[in-house]
Amino acid sequence: MPLALLIGNKGYSSWSLRAWLLLKQLGIEFEEILVPLYQADSKAKLLAFSPAGKVPALRADDILVWESLAIVEFIAERFPDLPVWPRDPAARALARSLSAEMHAGFTALRSEYPTNFRRAPGAIAAPSAAAAADIARIDAAWSDARARFGGQGPFLFGEFSAADAMFAPVVCRFSAYRLDVSPQAQDYMRAIEALPAYREWVESGRAEPWVLEKFEK
């Protein structure tokens, strides 16, 4: 049986994109189960799939995995021949570290600039000092990974990996709010935005009927 991936609205769900994009880019077959978030029956539908009641969640036969990084590691174990992580040990260590940093951090950026794949690009208020620090840290991390390991392709470690899936929603934030980043970061953003799977997600999100005002700025 194929994998089944529980996701939320493609217009807004950054965490859902991470798992979805990785599976798509690796060419792994899966069933997509979309539950619109912040509706009256959303929580019940999510809990019927996963006890965490959140997205994303992945079912594989009788195995259930939730949380983006746990899903990434499960995919890496289940498909060891696929390039989920870079092959080089040093690159793999950095990719895992950056992915964990993304998973746990950058709360100011998240708060001030919510992920919105439906949004027409345009600037809003300037970032706070905390959000500006988040932006600078991400920009520097991207540039460092590209400089050290990106010689064989346009992504953080050359070839697309889980680290790129983890940072894909940040590309949306930087682009949607016209945040000021380096030319190197802009080049990387263009590489992510050019992915057919990323474009498919964005177009699907824009076609959805649900508008969540809490994420509209």
Side-chain angles (χ1 to χ4, degrees):
M1 295 179 61
L3 306 178
L5 181 68
L6 180 72
I7 63 172
N9 312 48
K10 291 182 179 177
Y12 304 99
S13 184
S14 60
W15 293 109
S16 295
L17 170 64
R18 293 177 165 101
W20 186 94
L21 184 62
L22 181 64
L23 292 171
K24 282 281 188 176
Q25 280 300 119
L26 295 178
I28 297 171
E29 181 182 357
F30 67 98
E31 176 189 1
E32 176 185 307
I33 302 173
L34 190 153
V35 173
L37 304 179
Y38 302 101
Q39 308 296 311
D41 59 349
S42 297
K43 197 65 174 181
K45 289 181 177 179
L46 296 174
L47 288 169
F49 190 97
S50 166
K54 296 181 180 180
V55 292
L58 182 74
R59 283 195 183 276
D61 302 320
D62 59 346
I63 299 172
L64 175 67
V65 191
W66 61 93
E67 286 291 347
S68 297
L69 278 180
I71 292 172
V72 167
E73 294 296 359
F74 177 80
I75 294 300
E77 291 178 356
R78 193 174 180 94
F79 301 95
D81 294 332
L82 295 180
V84 176
W85 295 113
R87 302 298 188 190
D88 176 77
R92 187 165 63 250
L94 180 58
R96 282 186 159 128
S97 296
L98 290 178
S99 296
E101 184 180 3
M102 177 69 256
H103 190 271
F106 308 118
T107 54
L109 176 66
R110 299 179 199 273
S111 175
E112 294 177 34
Y113 302 100
T115 302
N116 186 341
F117 295 98
R118 303 165 59 93
R119 189 178 193 275
I124 57 172
S128 67
D134 285 349
I135 294 165
R137 167 57 191 151
I138 292 169
D139 195 329
W142 288 356
S143 296
D144 177 58
R146 291 281 306 133
R148 293 169 60 187
F149 301 109
Q152 301 304 311
F155 301 107
L156 293 178
F157 297 89
E159 187 177 7
F160 183 92
S161 75
D164 299 295
M166 291 298 293
F167 278 101
V170 176
V171 170
C172 171
R173 284 184 166 96
F174 285 1
S175 178
Y177 299 101
R178 295 290 194 230
L179 298 177
D180 187 21
V181 294
S182 68
Q184 293 85 352
Q186 293 173 31
D187 288 342
Y188 171 65
M189 290 165 58
R190 283 191 286 270
I192 294 293
E193 291 171 335
L195 289 171
Y198 183 90
R199 295 201 306 269
E200 178 186 340
W201 178 277
V202 171
E203 291 167 4
S204 296
R206 289 174 177 168
E208 289 175 344
W210 311 290
V211 175
L212 302 179
E213 292 298 339
K214 63 183 295 181
F215 298 127
E216 296 291 334
K217 288 191 176 183

